[in-house]
Amino acid sequence: MKKNNQNFKRRDSSPNRVSNFDRQNNRREEKAKVNGGVFVYSKPVSVAELSKAIDVPATSIIKYLFMQGKAVTINQMLDDEMIGTICLEFGYDFEKEKVVDALHFEDIEIKDDPKDLLPRPPVVTVMGHVDHGKTTLIDSIRNSNVAAKEAGGISQAIGAYQKEVKGQKVTIIDTPGHAAFTAMRARGASVTDIVVLVVAADDGVMPQTIEAINHAKAAGAEIIVAVNKMDKPGVRPERVLEQLMQHDIIVEKYGGDIMSVEISAKTGAGIEDLLEVILLKAEMMELKANPNRYAIGTVLESNLDKGEGPKATFLVQNGTLNSGDYVVVGNTYGKIRRMTNEYGQVVKMALPSTPVSVIGLAEVPAAGDRFMAFPSEKEVKDIAEKRKMAAVEASRGNSAAMSLSDLNNLVNAGKIQDINVIVKADTDGSAKALKASLEKLSNEQVRIKVLSAEAGAISDSDVLLASASSALIYGFNVRPDARIRQKAEEAHIDIRLHRIIYELLEEMEDVIKGLYKAEMVENVLGQAEIRHIYKITHVGTVAGSYVTDGLIKNDSKVRLLRDGVIIYEGALGSLKRFKDDVKEVKQGYECGFTINGYNDIKEGDIIEAYELVEKN
Ligand code: GDP
């Protein structure tokens, strides 16, 4: 740590530290406006806002979108593409102003002056099939050649550590496996420069090896192959390299540009070579960062420490993080009260590619959250507050779900070229057969891209890959468990389950031709008991009720039951708690509602709320 300090001066009082965004830009008015027939906007707008700005009734906009196969509500936020097509449809041109905005610092592409850039260590993740030796390798690198000054070795598990190789540093993320990596990628964070792909020589390429290749490629990371367990008798590393070729991993020995090393994570043989190859690759990648700016980076791990409060491991990706800095992280903020390294030592500053454990945050951030340092506390509080609000807004207007019906509508509107699919099947044979058959359905307009086709149960990593790539998941003779099902639901991932191949293919064929019709089934949401009736002029009968079971939503369909007999079926007109309109009311709460066009409600009646959802 220490020896790097002299290269970079602390800048508390120094005017040299560059802010991460042009602050003048940030002060700019953010309001959308129409200038001479051009709708100029800088952030997402709702149907209502756009309607007002271009003076077109909201109903016309909703109707137009509906004709395009998109069902939206008046308060829904519109994406750029929707805004563009609506403007053109109603005779306006449009322009998105690019505001470099601290609120969206994830998206800021930091442009540093090349003369400010200095080399930074590579960030390495170890991936590969289960039992191929990832954990052993990570430990073995950690303990290899422990220099005297590191006596005692790395003592803290903070999610990553740095290793010095020939005087240069390498940062190793120490959670093996794909879950962490994919979780980050699904959240748009990419921290890894190099993926070390571990393949056991005695086992060869296996499903998770392929999954790792897919993830590494999708994240744009470089791959280095480590053929492991070379200490085992009779192993044939060439076989592994040949198998890898079938997945477009062509090593140098066979004329490709992927480096490979033979190692034994257990005996330590080849580990030094691997580290040197990592350095070589990193040199070729010319990884650089500007240490003289406020830090920006990603949360690797986080937890709530009983004594110290919210605790997180930050990986600094650009700039320098200093003890005492104010940071926004995810939707929370804080002042870095203390930073420690992987040896548990307190450090005052963390340079690019350095992992540090920090305390001083107001809340626990999530792994994959981005952080950024700012000059003042007021600024970080303000930004965190706004980000929190924006997150709530975004989740309300979230319409990115890619159900079969959505895809069907997009096909009909000529709005989609690729449909991404993940296949999970009971056997490898049927997975591969389905992949081939699905891809063959592609036509001139729409291509089906099978991102992966494997045998096995639908897993977390499938759901994450699906959400990172807007894919739908086909399960053939497999079923997701309740936990996975819930995760998929939360991420709006459509999981389609089939037991008969031609039914699955017919379904997809319909989608590709825009002929798919979802079969709707009823999903009962809950029940409420009517306790008081209020007759209100101009409003009608308001039923003061108590939710006895489940929940009631303001857009629920309802049936009215009297003594167990259905006496009316319709939809809710309004749903309130006290004086406020609400989206839903849960079991154990009181509410008031009206039924659309129906007033003959009596005390003691029961309403059952339900919604129609796509079958499957
Ligand atoms: P992971 O699931 O990929 O993290 O694999 P582990 O690191 O847990 O290793 C799985 C098993 O393989 C353990 O029993 C290790 O001791 C063993 N193993 C790992 N690397 C080697 C190696 O280089 N040679 C041999 N013989 N065994 C190894």
Side-chain angles (χ1 to χ4, degrees):
M1 272 292 132
K2 195 144 194 145
K3 79 168 195 244
N4 282 308
N5 287 9
Q6 62 218 30
N7 294 339
F8 311 106
K9 295 187 190 94
R10 283 224 45 172
R11 299 147 279 81
D12 292 9
S13 51
S14 141
N16 291 337
R17 182 143 68 154
V18 191
S19 153
N20 284 306
F21 62 102
D22 175 2
R23 217 160 273 106
Q24 267 152 7
N25 261 339
N26 196 40
R27 297 268 178 273
R28 204 186 309 173
E29 258 289 287
E30 264 207 63
K31 277 209 185 104
K33 52 191 175 286
V34 174
N35 278 336
V38 184
F39 174 63
V40 184
Y41 69 104
S42 58
K43 56 173 191 176
V45 293
S46 68
V47 173
E49 286 161 344
L50 181 59
S51 148
K52 212 167 149 196
I54 62 174
D55 199 20
V56 168
T59 47
S60 306
I61 295 177
I62 291 172
K63 189 167 155 206
Y64 166 71
L65 287 176
F66 188 75
M67 302 303 286
Q68 305 289 309
K70 287 178 185 141
V72 300
T73 58
I74 186 153
N75 290 320
Q76 189 158 329
M77 302 308 283
L78 298 167
D79 61 28
D80 289 348
E81 193 185 329
M82 286 180 174
I83 293 172
T85 47
I86 294 165
C87 286
L88 294 180
E89 171 68 17
F90 293 103
Y92 287 91
D93 202 352
F94 63 97
E95 184 188 316
K96 183 166 187 179
E97 251 181 331
K98 218 170 166 56
V99 177
V100 182
D101 173 358
L103 265 193
H104 306 103
F105 63 75
E106 284 86 350
D107 307 330
I108 297 179
E109 207 188 308
I110 293 178
K111 290 259 185 296
D112 284 302
D113 192 329
K115 74 175 177 1
D116 296 332
L117 293 174
L118 290 173
R120 65 168 176 86
V123 179
V124 180
T125 301
V126 175
M127 292 175 92
H129 195 71
V130 63
D131 277 348
H132 279 199
K134 297 180 293 292
T135 316
T136 313
L137 174 60
I138 288 167
D139 292 344
S140 169
I141 295 176
R142 188 203 309 262
N143 301 324
S144 70
N145 191 23
V146 179
K149 71 177 167 74
E150 295 175 10
I154 293 161
S155 57
Q156 309 288 309
I158 66 168
Y161 60 85
Q162 284 194 318
K163 190 78 204 167
E164 212 163 293
V165 186
K166 294 194 158 169
Q168 292 180 49
K169 286 182 172 156
V170 174
T171 303
I172 315 273
I173 308 264
D174 74 4
T175 24
H178 311 177
F181 185 82
T182 339
M184 298 235 172
R185 205 161 72 72
R187 315 196 57 226
S190 102
V191 298
T192 300
D193 302 306
I194 296 172
V195 166
V196 171
L197 182 67
V198 178
V199 192
D202 59 341
D203 203 20
V205 170
M206 297 302 278
Q208 282 171 282
T209 317
I210 301 165
E211 201 177 276
I213 295 171
N214 293 339
H215 280 308
K217 280 188 181 163
E222 294 283 345
I223 294 176
I224 293 175
V225 175
V227 182
N228 190 28
K229 307 203 183 181
M230 287 302 296
D231 58 296
K232 287 201 165 182
V235 291
R236 291 178 38 222
E238 315 79 48
R239 196 178 65 102
V240 172
L241 301 181
E242 280 157 23
Q243 287 174 333
L244 283 171
M245 265 207 276
Q246 293 165 14
H247 301 280
D248 289 334
I249 298 296
I250 304 169
V251 297
E252 287 176 331
K253 198 168 161 186
Y254 295 126
D257 60 358
I258 304 241
M259 300 184 183
S260 70
V261 189
E262 293 175 7
I263 61 165
S264 166
K266 197 170 174 181
T267 66
I271 301 294
E272 291 296 316
D273 296 342
L274 174 63
L275 288 170
E276 280 173 30
V277 165
I278 290 173
L279 274 189
L280 196 61
K281 184 90 229 172
E283 230 161 75
M284 284 158 47
M285 292 169 82
E286 296 188 24
L287 303 167
K288 287 189 172 156
N290 173 10
N292 264 314
R293 64 156 60 249
Y294 283 92
I296 187 161
T298 301
V299 176
L300 295 180
E301 283 192 1
S302 61
N303 68 298
L304 184 64
D305 188 285
K306 272 207 187 107
E308 298 179 308
K311 202 168 183 182
T313 298
F314 283 5
L315 177 72
V316 178
Q317 291 176 280
N318 200 358
T320 299
L321 186 67
N322 293 282
S323 203
D325 274 354
Y326 296 100
V327 292
V328 177
V329 43
N331 299 329
T332 186
Y333 67 95
K335 177 180 179 168
I336 308 289
R337 275 201 284 124
R338 193 160 61 99
M339 297 200 284
T340 45
N341 63 14
E342 61 271 43
Y343 304 101
Q345 299 157 330
V346 173
V347 291
K348 289 275 174 242
M349 66 191 312
L351 293 168
S353 297
T354 308
V356 273
S357 171
V358 307
I359 53 171
L361 304 176
E363 288 164 48
V364 181
D369 274 349
R370 303 275 284 154
F371 73 83
M372 183 155 140
F374 289 89
S376 78
E377 176 158 29
K378 188 181 172 314
E379 214 156 349
V380 295
K381 259 190 178 162
D382 208 42
I383 294 168
E385 226 18 68
K386 286 194 183 134
R387 282 170 65 90
K388 214 172 247 175
M389 308 258 290
V392 172
E393 289 252 305
S395 70
R396 240 189 264 148
N398 192 348
S399 62
M402 281 289 177
S403 70
L404 277 193
S405 301
D406 296 331
L407 289 170
N408 186 74
N409 294 341
L410 289 174
V411 169
N412 270 330
K415 289 273 166 57
I416 191 164
Q417 278 90 43
D418 286 334
I419 295 181
N420 291 339
V421 179
I422 292 166
V423 175
K424 270 306 181 66
D426 51 346
T427 65
D428 197 46
S430 45
K432 295 289 178 293
L434 274 171
K435 173 177 156 80
S437 308
L438 278 168
E439 287 180 338
K440 253 193 238 144
L441 292 177
S442 303
N443 59 27
E444 271 151 38
Q445 282 86 45
V446 188
R447 187 167 57 134
I448 297 194
K449 271 170 75 176
V450 178
L451 302 180
S452 80
E454 311 292 343
I458 296 168
S459 65
D460 285 311
S461 130
D462 294 324
V463 173
L464 283 165
L465 181 59
S467 84
S469 47
S470 298
L472 61 98
I473 300 176
Y474 264 116
F476 183 71
N477 281 337
V478 293
R479 298 191 71 80
D481 63 23
R483 192 178 57 84
I484 298 284
R485 208 182 269 273
Q486 192 192 342
K487 271 201 162 170
E489 222 163 81
E490 282 165 13
H492 304 290
I493 304 298
D494 204 355
I495 298 185
R496 313 290 304 174
L497 303 171
H498 285 272
R499 297 179 64 84
I500 298 170
I501 288 201
Y502 78 81
E503 283 184 5
L504 187 160
L505 293 175
E506 263 179 17
E507 181 179 277
M508 198 29 122
E509 197 168 5
D510 282 349
V511 172
I512 264 199
K513 290 181 178 158
L515 299 171
Y516 174 76
K517 277 220 165 36
E519 209 177 310
M520 304 303 275
V521 290
E522 198 176 281
N523 175 34
V524 173
L525 294 167
Q527 287 198 337
E529 202 178 281
I530 291 139
R531 296 189 168 172
H532 298 284
I533 294 296
Y534 308 93
K535 304 256 186 218
I536 299 176
T537 342
H538 305 306
V539 176
T541 306
V542 174
S545 315
Y546 178 79
V547 181
T548 52
D549 187 34
L551 55 90
I552 311 285
K553 290 189 187 171
N554 64 346
D555 56 358
S556 305
K557 294 184 176 304
V558 290
R559 31 181 94 84
L560 189 66
L561 309 173
R562 190 167 298 157
D563 302 324
V565 179
I566 300 173
I567 56 166
Y568 183 76
E569 279 192 277
L572 280 192
S574 64
L575 180 65
K576 287 181 191 284
R577 260 185 67 68
F578 305 105
K579 292 226 147 37
D580 301 327
D581 282 303
V582 289
K583 290 202 115 174
E584 60 176 52
V585 179
K586 292 205 173 84
Q587 178 179 353
Y589 289 93
E590 291 180 337
C591 62
F593 62 81
T594 60
I595 297 180
N596 240 344
Y598 188 82
N599 286 318
D600 184 23
I601 313 174
K602 294 202 163 60
E603 279 170 23
D605 286 353
I606 289 191
I607 59 152
E608 180 176 79
Y610 64 98
E611 60 188 1
L612 293 176
V613 292
E614 277 181 39
K615 191 178 167 186
N616 195 341

